[in-house]
Structures are given as structure tokens and as C-alpha cells.
Amino acid sequence: MSKKLRPVLIGALGAASVATLVITTPALSTAAPAPLAASSATALAVGDLSAPAKKEIAMKLVSSAENSSLDWKAQYKYIEDIGDGRGYTAGIIGFCSGTGDMLELVEAYTDAVPNNPLAKYLPALRKVNGTDSHSGLGSAFESAWKQAAATTAFQTAQNNERDRVYFNPAVSQGKSDGLSNLGQFAYYDAIVMHGPGDSSDSFGGIRKAAMKKAKTPAQGGDETTYLKAFFAARKVIMKQEEAHADTSRVDTEQLVFLNAGNFDLHTPLKWKVYGDSYTIN
């Protein structure tokens, strides 16, 4: 099923490659964190969303929003231009021909498997980067993408780029901020939609805006208070672009889990995205 909304991978087309990822952590208070009450949600241990079972949940949650399906592994072969000005959108995390990460994916894939169906399109991908053009690509490229997606090598390349650019930085920053699995997932979902970086409309900018309103658990703050500030800051940015104006992936997914106190993302999970209902048992 095609995506209902499009993740913004970088703040503006033609910006520097997403490979130049720098997520900085503002200096934390040198004072010892305030003791946490045993009953406080922030008394929970810092989560580890990279644990296999939790990572699988994270993949399904994102896929529900990105592809209207929990079957995220079915999205390796997905490719289409959804008319958002970012060229082709494809694969498990919405790699785009216009925003640099599709190019980097195909380059990495070609380094591992030189004789692959997509290698000959690298010159065209470099040329269209930063635009919505299909020049040198078209239906033949779409077919080649699907052909490659049937191979373990290209699936592995997609997994690796997803982790390198999006998942691992989000989880690492979440752990540094003392967040639970839910908090780390909130970071991951945000970086998928808004992209890495420090501009005001990127993940880093949203995090900075939230930290002006509330302390992270690592700074002695309450996680519920901090995540609500993060969600509020993110929604401000989402509403600035028509394609992201529907904030249900925050309101009827992440806030549902937060209000239920499900910081560990334990199952069963029930939520809605863009009006569709989902369950993970």
C-alpha cells in the first residue's frame, strides 16, 4: 500500500547529504540528578530499543504510519513518486531520490555488490539529487529496484542504511537523554519524518526546542513531562507542511502509549494512525 504521508528527510532539497549527520547533546547540568520517586515513570531503567523484540515493534510502528501496514519487510520493493517534490520514495524507510539517502543507499549496495541491477543508475541518481526529476530513471529504474529488493544483499543494504542514518543515532541520543523504549521510539519516528541535523525543522531542532521547555531524565527531569514537550515541539513543525499536518502518529499513537504509562512498549499495543487501527499482540 502506498504511503499516506511523506517523511521529510532533510530540511530543504539540495541540502548537504544526510551522511553528514551530527546530533549534538547540549551540556548537561553538572549537578547530580534529583532523586526520583519510586512511583515516578522516570524511575524506569533507561530503555534499549535496539533489543531485537523491541526493534521489531519499532519497525512495525513506523511502518503503520509510513506504509499503512505492519509488514515492514514487504516494503523493501516499494517504490513510487507520491508527488511531494522529493522524487522517488522507496524501501523500508522511504529513501528518496531527491534527498540524498537513496543515492547513499545505492552507493553502499554497489560497494558490496558491484554487479547489481541499480549500479548503472548511479550517475542519474547523482544528477537528480536535490530535485524531483526522474531523468535517467523512470520505469526501468523502478523495475530494477524491485529486482534488487528480492535479494538478501539489497535488503541488508537497506537495513544497514536505516540503522546508520536513522535508528542508531535516535536510540543512542535517547539513551544519552535517559529515555525509555517509548522515548527512544519517539526520537526514531521523529528522525524518520524530519531527518537528522540541527535546523529548527529537523530532529535536532525539535529536541532543542523541547529541552527549552523541560529537562530530560538525564538532567533530572520527568520523562512524561519531557516527552510531552517533545511531542508539542514536533507538532509545531509537522503543521508547517501540509503533508505532515495530520499529527495522529503523535496524538493517537505515541501519546496513547505515554498516557497509559507504557514506557517499555510492552504488548499488546493498540493505536491508530491516520484513522486506521492497528494491534501488536
Side-chain angles (χ1 to χ4, degrees):
M1 185 177 296
S2 64
K3 295 186 179 182
K4 294 183 178 180
L5 295 183
R6 171 72 191 99
V8 176
L9 297 176
I10 53 178
L13 297 181
S17 167
V18 291
T20 57
L21 169 62
V22 179
I23 299 178
T24 57
T25 305
L28 303 181
S29 170
T30 56
L36 302 176
S39 60
S40 170
T42 52
L44 294 172
V46 174
D48 183 11
L49 197 67
S50 63
K54 298 303 180 184
K55 186 173 184 179
E56 179 68 15
I57 288 173
M59 296 304 106
K60 290 181 176 179
L61 290 171
V62 167
S63 186
S64 72
E66 296 297 308
N67 296 94
S68 303
S69 170
L70 297 183
D71 188 3
W72 65 271
K73 293 180 181 179
Q75 312 310 321
Y76 289 114
K77 64 181 182 295
Y78 166 76
I79 181 167
E80 69 173 327
D81 187 329
I82 60 175
D84 64 351
R86 295 173 177 85
Y88 283 111
T89 296
I92 57 171
I93 207 64
F95 301 101
C96 287
S97 59
T99 60
D101 61 346
M102 179 181 285
L103 170 60
E104 292 181 356
L105 166 62
V106 176
E107 287 177 335
Y109 174 43
T110 302
D111 285 343
V113 185
N115 185 24
N116 72 73
L118 297 173
K120 65 182 179 180
Y121 294 101
L122 278 171
L125 286 171
R126 294 186 181 107
K127 186 175 181 179
V128 304
N129 188 26
T131 77
D132 63 355
S133 174
H134 292 189
S135 179
L137 300 173
S139 59
F141 175 70
E142 296 173 34
S143 296
W145 183 279
K146 294 174 182 178
Q147 180 185 350
T151 70
T152 299
F154 191 43
Q155 293 172 12
T156 297
Q158 289 195 39
N159 292 343
N160 289 345
E161 284 299 289
R162 172 203 62 202
D163 290 350
R164 182 183 71 86
V165 180
Y166 302 105
F167 186 78
N168 291 346
V171 171
S172 178
Q173 187 65 73
K175 288 180 178 179
S176 294
D177 287 345
L179 299 180
S180 64
N181 286 323
L182 173 58
Q184 291 172 32
F185 173 72
Y187 276 12
Y188 175 54
D189 190 67
I191 202 171
V192 165
M193 174 176 277
H194 304 285
D198 290 313
S199 61
S200 62
D201 58 353
S202 69
F203 165 71
I206 293 169
R207 176 175 169 272
K208 287 180 179 179
M211 293 177 71
K212 292 179 180 179
K213 301 292 184 181
K215 292 182 178 180
T216 67
Q219 294 172 311
D222 174 74
E223 182 167 10
T224 296
T225 302
Y226 173 71
L227 286 181
K228 286 184 176 180
F230 183 81
F231 293 153
R234 182 181 177 189
K235 287 169 64 175
V236 168
I237 300 303
M238 290 173 76
K239 291 177 180 179
Q240 290 178 1
E241 184 175 349
E242 183 178 356
H244 297 152
D246 184 329
T247 60
S248 63
R249 65 197 291 162
V250 173
D251 299 326
T252 57
E253 182 187 286
Q254 295 170 48
L255 269 172
V256 170
F257 304 152
L258 180 62
N259 291 335
N262 192 355
F263 290 89
D264 187 50
L265 291 179
H266 59 75
T267 56
L269 290 168
K270 295 183 179 181
W271 73 98
K272 292 183 179 181
V273 180
Y274 312 137
D276 296 333
S277 297
Y278 300 93
T279 301
I280 298 177
N281 291 313

